[in-house]
Structures are given as structure tokens and as C-alpha cells.
Amino acid sequence: MDQLLPTKYITKEGLIALKHYKYNGEDRSILVQLFLRTFWNWLIQFFPTWIAPNLITVIGFSALLTNFFVAVSYCSDCDYEVCGEPPIWVYFMFAFNLWFYQTMDNLDGKQARRTGSSSALGELFDHGCDSLFLILTAAPMFLIWQPAKVDQFLFLTQGVLVFYTSHWEEYFTGHLILGRFANPTEAQCCMIAVFLFTGVVGAQFWHSAIGVFLPFLPTSLAQLTVLSALRNVLWFAIAAAIIENGVNATKAAIKDGKGYWPPTAVIVPMIIQQILLSIWIATSQYDILQNHTLLVLVLHGIGFSYICDQLLVCRITMMEFPWYNRILIVPLLGMINSVIGSPFVSEKYVLYALVGYMLLDYVIMLYSIVNQLATHLGINVFTIPYEDTKKE
């Protein structure tokens, strides 16, 4: 398999730099400080020490996959006005699976420290799975909220931007800070609450006018639906988080004598992807967002995860992050084909081909990176104990 890989994603210098690796993170979550950390510390005691941390990560990740495929099975074309609501038990299953994923996602690190098996591969494995959280959770959330297809694209864009910019900041500061309010734990708990609440009151609640609950609001605001109001509030919150992350990243780069271009270069691939996808959607004669919503969302989510995972690798291995990423050729080709009117091949088939290529390239990249790290560090990915000898 190694001979078939088109490239090695980690340079020799990057592998050597792994000897300087040390995880540096801080979780300021209110819920974690109040009771979740105590619960997780109690729960980890029941895990056998032979269970590898990465195995815990994958077990938790499987719950997200289950949610995604169940949501897609009920509404594969994301046309929720036609599909209607799923059975009530689906909402409660979504809530349980998300809680299970959250729990496993926090136990894997504790298991790593408990068994002395912490490594750069473990962090990449954990955060790499986290980068897929957005697209895998989007489908269940949309099944509940039943937003318009344009809103589905915008909601996913919100999540993509705030997740990426947090790692943008970490790339330059070397410190991942999960704040008191802009925190994944609180966000996940809110999602769990949404699933449970919807299971009780039904999905139509999200399309009720907020004036029904807040009659004192002016007419222009009172006519907004609960979902529209939520989306608008999220844009302000996300904008504040992005600005803070950008300022911190730039300050750290300048302090280290790198100047303004390096922090700018890191955000460029995400901006380019967003622009190319938006132009493609806007100029599509086939109207890909309306006719193939799920494929467009997958293209968006996987493209983001691809770029974000490479940013994680560059930070861990101290490599320079390139402003140009080859995965951008996917939305670029789609946009060009759309702008010129799809003269040679139907846009539908171009979309199929590009999504297929992106998924294949994504899997190859992940395999190559994991294989390189595991081989260099002399560790097994899913089992403990690790090998006795480690390569220098």
C-alpha cells in the first residue's frame, strides 16, 4: 500500500521535529469545571488499560456516523418540507449518540495519560475526527430544524469558520484555549438539549414566529422564526470568535518576528474554498444546491476537514502551512465548469466525479499521515502496548 501512495505528507524534517511535540491545551468550559470533569474522571476508571486511546476515539466517532446515516436515510435529498418529521425516537437516539461521542472524545485523552500512551498521533487522530463532527452532525440537526437549503449551506459555513479559526490561532500561539462560552462542550450540550426538546415539542417549534413567545418585540423582529433568529445570533457570535482568533494569531506571529503574511496565508485556503463554492452554487444552471444538497454539503465539509487536518499536521510537526492546497482544484473545476455553462459534461456528473475524487484523496491523505506517524514513532494505532523501540 505504501508504494501506491502518491506522496508523503510529512517531510523528514517534520518527523524529526516530533521529538519537540507537547500538547498544550486548556479547557475553560463552565460545565466541565462544574461536574463533567468529575464524571469523566470517575468513568475512565472502568476502562481496561489495554484499550488504546485511539480505539476509544473511533468507538465514539461511530456514534456520529450512526446519527449521520440515520438522518440521511430519512431524508437523503435534504428536502425536509417533503420528507417531514422522523419518528420521535430518532430525536432521542441523536441525543444519546451525541452524548456518547462527547464522553468518548473526552475519555480518550484521559486514557492516553493513564496508560502513558500520549502521542502526536493521538492528538491528530482525536482532532481529525473532530473536524468531521460538523458535517456528520449537520444532517441530524437539519432533520430537526428543517431549514431551507441555502440556510443549510450557511449553517455549515458558520461551524466550519469558527472551528478552523480556533486551530488557526493555535497554529501560531501553540496553545489551544477552549473558552468559557465559545466552547465545544457547551455547544454539544446545547445540541443535545435541542434534540431532547424537539423530541418533546416537535420540529415545527423552530418555524414558529418569535413574536408568539416575545409579544413585546417590534413587528419586524416578531415575524422572524425561531430558526432565523438563532441563525442571526450565531453569525454575530461567530464573527466575534473569528475576530478574536485572528487577532491572537496575528499578534503571536508578529511577536515571533514572522510578520503579517504567515497568519494571512493560513486563512487563505478556507476563504478560497468558500468563494469558489459560493460562485459555483450561484452560477449553477443545474442548481446543484437545490438538486443535490447532500453532495454539496459533503463537498463543503470534507474540503474543510482536509485543509484543517493538514493545518493540524503542520502545527504538530512544525512544518510551514502552504497557502495553496491541491484540494482547492475540486471547487475550482466545479466553478469553471458552471461558469462556462457545462459545455462538455453534465454538471450533475461533474459534481459526482469531484465528490468522488475528494473522498478518495481525503482517505489516501489520512492513511498516509497516520502511517507515517505510527511508523516513525514506533507505535500501533489501535492497540497497547506500544513497541519497545522508537525511531529517532
Side-chain angles (χ1 to χ4, degrees):
M1 179 67 179
D2 292 347
Q3 288 74 25
L4 298 178
L5 295 176
T7 184
K8 298 291 186 181
Y9 289 85
I10 305 177
T11 64
K12 181 179 179 181
E13 293 75 18
L15 292 173
I16 294 174
L18 286 172
K19 63 184 179 182
H20 302 296
Y21 166 78
K22 182 180 180 182
Y23 178 72
N24 188 9
E26 180 182 357
D27 191 347
R28 299 175 181 174
S29 163
I30 296 174
L31 295 178
V32 169
Q33 294 177 6
L34 285 177
F35 65 92
L36 285 176
R37 180 177 287 116
T38 301
F39 170 66
W40 294 331
N41 287 338
W42 170 79
L43 187 59
I44 194 63
Q45 302 175 74
F46 299 97
F47 281 67
T49 54
W50 52 264
I51 296 182
N54 291 337
L55 184 58
I56 295 176
T57 303
V58 170
I59 291 172
F61 185 70
S62 66
L64 287 187
L65 287 173
T66 300
N67 277 1
F68 175 80
F69 286 114
V70 168
V72 170
S73 71
Y74 277 101
C75 199
S76 59
D77 61 358
C78 302
D79 193 349
Y80 300 110
E81 291 183 0
V82 176
C83 297
E85 293 190 46
I88 292 177
W89 65 264
V90 172
Y91 300 135
F92 295 104
M93 185 203 72
F94 286 162
F96 173 81
N97 283 350
L98 182 51
W99 169 82
F100 182 77
Y101 161 78
Q102 181 193 67
T103 302
M104 295 298 104
D105 189 41
N106 284 277
L107 292 183
D108 53 9
K110 295 182 181 298
Q111 180 76 344
R113 291 184 289 273
R114 181 172 172 240
T115 58
S117 55
S118 299
S119 69
L121 176 59
E123 181 184 350
L124 180 64
F125 213 89
D126 185 5
H127 290 176
C129 287
D130 290 343
S131 70
L132 288 170
F133 173 86
L134 294 169
I135 181 59
L136 295 180
T137 306
M141 291 301 297
F142 294 161
L143 187 62
I144 281 181
W145 283 343
Q146 301 184 352
K149 294 188 175 185
V150 171
D151 286 336
Q152 293 176 44
F153 182 77
L154 293 176
F155 271 121
L156 182 58
T157 298
Q158 288 178 329
V160 161
L161 291 176
V162 75
F163 188 100
Y164 187 82
T165 54
S166 66
H167 288 284
W168 175 30
E169 176 183 349
E170 184 188 13
Y171 179 77
F172 290 99
T173 63
H175 191 196
L176 179 63
I177 299 178
L178 304 177
R180 287 185 176 273
F181 303 104
N183 191 290
T185 299
E186 270 72 11
Q188 290 164 4
C189 287
C190 286
M191 291 179 185
I192 293 171
V194 166
F195 289 139
L196 295 175
F197 180 75
T198 307
V200 175
V201 303
Q204 286 305 310
F205 166 81
W206 303 103
H207 297 275
S208 304
I210 59 174
V212 174
F213 312 101
L214 302 172
F216 54 84
L217 290 176
T219 304
S220 58
L221 293 178
Q223 292 176 346
L224 286 174
T225 65
V226 175
L227 186 61
S228 297
L230 176 63
R231 181 194 60 201
N232 295 336
V233 170
L234 284 175
W235 273 122
F236 284 106
I238 287 172
I242 291 173
I243 292 172
E244 181 181 8
N245 291 333
V247 169
N248 291 339
T250 303
K251 284 182 177 179
I254 293 174
K255 183 178 180 181
D256 292 339
K258 297 178 180 178
Y260 289 96
W261 170 242
T264 303
V266 170
I267 201 67
V268 163
M270 282 304 303
I271 295 176
I272 292 177
Q273 173 177 271
Q274 195 63 46
I275 292 174
L276 293 176
L277 269 177
S278 298
I279 295 176
W280 183 4
I281 291 170
T283 60
S284 174
Q285 297 180 18
Y286 181 67
D287 203 350
I288 58 171
L289 185 59
Q290 291 296 323
N291 292 315
H292 286 287
T293 312
L294 182 62
L295 287 182
V296 173
L297 295 179
V298 168
L299 196 72
H300 194 3
I302 296 298
F304 148 72
S305 181
Y306 189 106
I307 297 171
C308 190
D309 287 351
Q310 290 197 349
L311 179 61
L312 290 169
V313 171
C314 288
R315 177 182 58 78
I316 289 171
T317 59
M318 300 182 182
M319 296 191 305
E320 183 177 353
F321 182 74
W323 71 268
Y324 172 76
N325 195 299
R326 77 182 189 195
I327 205 64
L328 295 175
I329 196 69
V330 172
L332 176 63
L333 289 176
M335 182 206 70
I336 292 174
N337 181 68
S338 175
V339 169
I340 64 177
S342 305
F344 305 112
V345 183
S346 169
E347 191 174 8
K348 174 175 67 174
Y349 297 115
V350 170
L351 177 63
Y352 291 159
L354 291 177
V355 170
Y357 167 77
M358 177 176 280
L359 289 172
L360 178 61
D361 195 14
Y362 182 72
V363 171
I364 291 174
M365 178 196 70
L366 293 181
Y367 177 85
S368 177
I369 291 172
V370 170
N371 183 61
Q372 276 191 274
L373 288 175
T375 301
H376 179 79
L377 296 173
I379 61 179
N380 301 316
V381 180
F382 295 115
T383 59
I384 294 178
Y386 289 170
E387 297 174 9
D388 294 330
T389 59
K390 294 185 178 181
K391 297 181 180 181
E392 294 294 317

